[in-house]
Amino acid sequence: MKESCVNEKQRKAVLTSRVLGALVLGGLWSVGTFTNPVEARDYSDLQDLGKVTLVEEKKEPVVAEPVATEEPVYAGGQVSRQSTIGMLGKKDFLDVPFNVTSITEETIANQQATSIIDVTANDPSVTDLTLSGASNAWSIRGFKTTQQDVQLNGIYGVAPRYYTGVEYLENVEILKGPSAMLSGMAPNDTVGGVINYVTKHAGPEDKNTVTLTYGEGHQFTQQLDMSRRFNDGKYGVRLNVLNRGAQEDAYKGESNSANTVTLGLDAKGERWRSSLDMGYIYNDIEDPQYQVTMSQSTANKLTSLPSVADDAKFGAPGTYRTLTEKFFLWKGEYDLNDNWTAWAAFGMRNTSQDGLSNRFLLNNVNGNAKVSYVHNRQINKAISSEVGVRGHVKTGSLDHELSIAASQVRYKVLEDKPTVSDTYTTSIYNPKWQSFTDGSYGPYLIRDNRIQQSIGINDIITTADKKWNFIVGGRVQNVKDTSYSYSGTKVKSTTTYDETAFTPTFGIVHKLNDRTSLYANYAQALSLGDTAPSGTENSGEVFAPYKTKQYEVGAKFDFGKIATTISAFTMKNPSFITTDDNYYALAGEQRNRGIELSVFGEPREGTRILGGVTFLDAKYITLASTYANYEGNQATGVPRWSGVIGVEQDIKSVDGLSVNTRLTYNGKAYVNMANTLSTSPWVRWDLGARYKFNWNQTPLTVRANVYNVLDTVKWRALQGSTTNAIYLGKGRTFTLSVSADF
């Protein structure tokens, strides 16, 4: 009998291995293939031999932890203690010289967040610049970024390029400040910070959660979140499926449908760990909202922003964005010995997009506007890879955690741009839309082929008493880019770019005690250099990648139940402009200086807080030519003050009931570089509640949220030195959901 039980267990183990193998192979076949690492754990000190050497002392073997081990969270469960700091790996927030916040899956679920914008709303250093469901954007420390520069499990190029849904995410990590040394150059020149998606994997307990949601307009969404662990926890599977019908969303006349399937697999052995994430996304947005742009002269003549209805629409009927995204990421690491770990990562993404959008240009102060159209069909592909090694050596009394990594991201863009005719005039106060003629489709032609590759090395030096950490590192980044122009379907010309840059980073952390640390850093971000346009004296000159530089100091306090970070920073971001003597050069510069205060935790049982405040002084320090008169002015679209505070309270008299509220404030922001036209300050008030109970032995959670309770819809300003663009904020919305755990 005993022997038959053993055979049965062996049979199940073999069957499970085959099933997981089939899932992996199926993912490789359907999505595409490639990887990135599970970060190495902290290792013990090495024996002091008075010189650089590996430890010879015999140590107890390190027990391998599963990839899916739940993240250590801070009191209250809203923020994770650890974050992925690029090639440094997973680190506690007190141990790194950077300002980083990691929002947990629990917070995402309780706030009923549907997109990354809903999650970043908890961080005062992040400003929402979203126009519609088809145009999500935000800024970090006053510099704009988009979904295209988001990392997936620490790797660029693999995350969905346009879709911003968060249903498959366990954590959202927000690192403020440049990170070229830590993670390499961002694909689309993000310099203010980086957002990293941490995907869901199976936890120690089986999960079967079905969630039905109605709201954010009239959208009805169904979601399945299911996970299992097999073979005594060695293998894990987590499946997320989401379906959203084509109903009107929170923007007038706009519909947003989505179908997504994501799968997270993980496995562990005695000395190795591995994970595999793959996903399929279909997203269709019809009749999206759009921005209003204006020329410098029009913006400078306006004395106030146009007064329009709260539900005004500047996206033309018949416009749309339809996309299909497939992504795949494998990560693995292997303990070479008790002190050194090697990792590898390979990933792939394929994005197919068909979009018809319109431009709404305000022509003059009387409200006359011009509508034009742009049709873009695009296939965007990326393949990412990374290999590295991390381990410990000792010199005298100093411990060194060394990391060496090499990475490469290959991008290829194929486009078809049908010509759209029928540009017409209308009024911003009462837009009248006319029909238009769309061009015929042609073949997809390659437009851009880029390779970004780099090698980075970093050393975390720790003193014997563990009170001082010094971070010294650098990365050599090479960018090879070839762009194509056509005459019909024949290549007319190509432009080749091949430049290299080095980005160092220095950091220091001094731990006054186990709960207080002081830190400072110097970091850089890289942006792709331009080519001097025709008509300038240096026409055709190719510029190397240019650098945004940051200096930052701060302090972190962990009071056990509540934690706070305060930081002060200055960032200088150069820009290309044509000088007075007609040379195209890095002759412009924007300087952003700021002070940030963030707070999170559970100061008393049942009371949780999350938020902070940011002061940001963003100015044009150096300009030339036609913009010289704007030197010293505040940068467009950047409010001086922004803040958010969320409070959640358990109601002790009603078991399972919690209520929450959140206040968000943004100060005025200038629309034009002359600083003569600005948006008004605005406050958003959100309210919510959730109730957990059992019904027929089935755990249920009902959540209800009202966003922008006071329905304060106001003009907001977009960022960019010559943008002169405004858009309407989102009005009052509500969301109601029921989750059942079977």
Side-chain angles (χ1 to χ4, degrees):
M1 183 67 180
K2 182 177 181 180
E3 183 178 353
S4 65
C5 291
V6 172
N7 291 336
E8 178 65 15
K9 288 183 178 179
Q10 291 176 344
R11 187 188 69 79
K12 288 183 177 180
V14 171
L15 180 60
T16 300
S17 300
R18 289 177 178 175
V19 171
L20 287 173
L23 287 171
V24 173
L25 292 175
L28 294 174
W29 178 262
S30 63
V31 181
T33 159
F34 286 88
T35 84
N36 185 11
V38 175
E39 305 297 347
R41 302 180 309 281
D42 189 22
Y43 294 94
S44 303
D45 292 338
L46 302 180
Q47 183 181 12
D48 184 4
L49 299 179
K51 58 181 180 180
V52 178
T53 180
L54 297 182
V55 174
E56 296 179 0
E57 177 185 358
K58 186 68 175 178
K59 294 193 175 184
E60 292 297 323
V62 178
V63 178
E65 295 292 337
V67 172
T69 297
E70 295 181 348
E71 296 288 346
V73 297
Y74 196 78
Q78 295 181 301
V79 174
S80 174
R81 288 198 64 99
Q82 294 185 348
S83 298
T84 305
I85 313 296
M87 63 185 295
L88 303 185
K90 283 282 187 183
K91 299 294 179 186
D92 188 271
F93 76 99
L94 282 178
D95 296 335
V96 294
F98 307 101
N99 190 335
V100 58
T101 303
S102 181
I103 308 297
T104 64
E105 177 187 355
E106 180 180 351
T107 306
I108 295 172
N110 288 338
Q111 295 181 351
Q112 302 192 83
T114 59
S115 75
I116 184 60
I117 299 299
D118 300 329
V119 181
T120 60
N122 295 289
D123 194 313
S125 297
V126 183
T127 300
D128 180 12
L129 300 175
T130 296
L131 307 177
S132 67
S135 184
N136 291 267
W138 59 92
S139 71
I140 305 176
R141 290 187 171 176
F143 293 106
K144 184 179 177 180
T145 185
T146 65
Q147 174 74 13
Q148 300 169 20
D149 276 352
V150 165
Q151 295 179 337
L152 186 73
N153 293 334
I155 292 293
Y156 278 125
V158 186
R161 183 174 175 83
Y162 296 108
Y163 181 73
T164 59
V166 294
E167 61 271 9
Y168 60 99
L169 302 183
E170 181 176 289
N171 283 353
V172 173
E173 300 173 342
I174 308 169
L175 189 150
K176 276 81 80 174
S179 59
M181 187 282 289
L182 300 171
S183 307
M185 178 178 169
N188 290 275
D189 301 338
T190 288
V191 300
V194 63
I195 290 179
N196 179 47
Y197 288 167
V198 180
T199 54
K200 291 179 179 178
H201 288 109
E205 303 294 332
D206 290 349
K207 185 178 182 67
N208 301 284
T209 302
V210 175
T211 302
L212 304 179
T213 305
Y214 180 79
E216 278 291 289
H218 302 285
Q219 296 182 108
F220 180 49
T221 304
Q222 311 92 49
Q223 182 180 351
L224 169 67
D225 187 354
M226 183 173 66
S227 69
R228 293 290 187 277
R229 297 211 73 81
F230 303 97
N231 199 9
D232 295 327
K234 183 176 181 179
Y235 301 108
V237 178
R238 186 147 182 187
L239 174 69
N240 269 268
V241 180
L242 180 141
N243 175 72
R244 181 184 301 123
Q247 298 92 10
E248 185 179 48
D249 63 17
Y251 299 93
K252 179 188 176 183
E254 174 182 298
S255 68
N256 187 336
S257 63
N259 303 98
T260 72
V261 180
T262 55
L263 183 65
L265 310 176
D266 67 85
K268 66 183 178 71
E270 183 178 352
R271 303 188 68 88
W272 59 271
R273 293 150 304 277
S274 180
S275 67
L276 173 66
D277 293 276
M278 59 185 73
Y280 171 86
I281 294 165
Y282 175 80
N283 185 213
D284 179 40
I285 300 174
E286 301 288 336
D287 302 320
Q289 175 66 288
Y290 210 72
Q291 68 190 42
V292 175
T293 60
M294 60 193 86
S295 66
Q296 286 280 2
S297 60
T298 299
N300 292 349
K301 292 176 183 177
L302 285 173
T303 57
S304 62
L305 294 175
S307 179
V308 299
D310 290 347
D311 60 353
K313 186 71 177 289
F314 305 106
T319 54
Y320 61 89
R321 189 196 70 184
T322 303
L323 61 90
T324 300
E325 306 212 54
K326 296 176 284 186
F327 65 90
F328 162 89
L329 179 63
W330 174 85
K331 298 175 63 176
E333 64 178 13
Y334 181 77
D335 297 333
L336 302 173
N337 53 44
D338 293 344
N339 303 290
W340 286 84
T341 296
W343 76 78
F346 301 95
M348 176 179 287
R349 175 187 47 78
N350 185 300
T351 299
S352 177
Q353 180 211 217
D354 183 8
L356 175 66
S357 59
N358 71 279
R359 302 290 185 262
F360 197 96
L361 176 66
L362 186 62
N363 282 331
N364 54 45
V365 296
N366 297 323
N368 294 333
K370 181 174 72 173
V371 176
S372 58
Y373 295 87
V374 175
H375 193 170
N376 179 244
R377 300 171 72 226
Q378 183 184 104
I379 297 175
N380 189 292
K381 302 179 179 181
I383 298 176
S384 300
S385 59
E386 183 176 79
V387 294
V389 63
R390 180 182 298 110
H392 287 241
V393 297
K394 208 164 190 181
T395 58
S397 62
L398 299 178
D399 179 74
H400 299 260
E401 183 182 338
L402 294 172
S403 300
I404 303 173
S407 64
Q408 183 186 84
V409 187
R410 291 176 173 264
Y411 297 97
K412 182 177 290 187
V413 179
L414 298 94
E415 282 186 336
D416 170 27
K417 292 186 175 181
T419 302
V420 183
S421 60
D422 300 330
T423 297
Y424 54 87
T425 59
T426 185
S427 170
I428 191 173
Y429 300 109
N430 187 24
K432 300 294 184 181
W433 309 105
Q434 300 178 14
S435 61
F436 57 89
T437 303
D438 198 357
S440 60
Y441 296 161
Y444 283 100
L445 302 173
I446 185 169
R447 296 286 179 176
D448 190 72
N449 194 356
R450 181 190 298 186
I451 301 175
Q452 294 181 190
Q453 49 196 359
S454 65
I455 297 177
I457 183 170
N458 185 84
D459 185 10
I460 303 177
I461 306 168
T462 305
T463 57
D465 59 6
K466 310 298 183 184
K467 290 187 175 182
W468 292 89
N469 285 344
F470 302 91
I471 295 179
V472 180
R475 184 181 293 265
V476 177
Q477 179 82 58
N478 174 259
V479 183
K480 296 179 181 179
D481 186 89
T482 303
S483 56
Y484 303 82
S485 62
Y486 292 86
S487 176
T489 59
K490 294 183 179 180
V491 176
K492 182 172 63 176
S493 64
T494 60
T495 302
T496 302
Y497 183 98
D498 188 350
E499 296 290 340
T500 301
F502 174 73
T503 52
T505 290
F506 307 99
I508 183 172
V509 178
H510 177 46
K511 302 188 78 169
L512 300 179
N513 50 54
D514 291 340
R515 293 186 173 184
T516 305
S517 63
L518 307 177
Y519 75 91
N521 72 61
Y522 168 76
Q524 296 182 350
L526 275 181
S527 301
L528 193 67
D530 285 356
T531 300
S534 60
T536 58
E537 294 294 331
N538 56 336
S539 175
E541 180 180 355
V542 178
F543 293 89
Y546 60 96
K547 302 177 181 180
T548 298
K549 301 177 181 180
Q550 173 188 271
Y551 297 90
E552 179 180 356
V553 295
K556 302 178 183 182
F557 305 93
D558 178 1
F559 300 106
K561 293 293 185 179
I562 188 171
T564 184
T565 298
I566 183 169
S567 59
F569 64 89
T570 180
M571 298 175 63
K572 291 186 177 181
N573 173 237
S575 59
F576 287 96
I577 55 178
T578 302
T579 62
D580 294 334
D581 52 359
N582 199 34
Y583 276 89
Y584 192 73
L586 276 172
E589 187 173 70
Q590 179 177 325
R591 185 208 64 202
N592 288 11
R593 287 179 177 171
I595 299 175
E596 300 164 325
L597 173 66
S598 62
V599 60
F600 55 88
E602 191 174 26
R604 54 174 294 182
E605 185 178 358
T607 303
R608 294 168 289 278
I609 62 173
L610 175 62
V613 63
T614 295
F615 170 76
L616 189 55
D617 181 34
K619 289 185 176 180
Y620 302 117
I621 301 303
T622 305
L623 294 171
S625 190
T626 57
Y627 302 113
N629 293 333
Y630 304 142
E631 287 187 4
N633 286 0
Q634 183 82 358
T636 57
V638 183
R640 285 183 179 270
W641 289 96
S642 58
V644 58
I645 185 65
V647 180
E648 187 176 72
Q649 178 65 54
D650 296 340
I651 306 302
K652 295 184 179 181
S653 59
V654 182
D655 188 34
L657 178 63
S658 300
V659 297
N660 64 80
T661 185
R662 183 172 63 184
L663 286 174
T664 305
Y665 171 80
N666 264 29
K668 76 172 184 180
Y670 288 109
V671 177
N672 59 343
M673 296 177 69
N675 286 182
T676 58
L677 186 65
S678 66
T679 61
S680 300
W682 57 267
V683 175
R684 195 182 85 175
W685 180 28
D686 305 328
L687 284 174
R690 74 174 182 274
Y691 182 45
K692 294 183 178 181
F693 61 98
N694 288 337
W695 183 67
N696 284 346
Q697 297 183 341
T698 299
L700 296 179
T701 303
V702 178
R703 298 179 176 92
N705 292 84
V706 180
Y707 309 101
N708 195 3
V709 174
L710 301 179
D711 199 20
T712 53
V713 180
K714 293 183 178 295
W715 284 116
R716 301 182 188 178
L718 281 179
Q719 293 179 5
S721 59
T722 59
T723 300
N724 302 306
I726 52 178
Y727 67 100
L728 285 175
K730 191 161 56 174
R732 180 172 52 237
T733 59
F734 82 96
T735 302
L736 175 68
S737 69
V738 179
S739 296
D741 294 307
F742 296 101

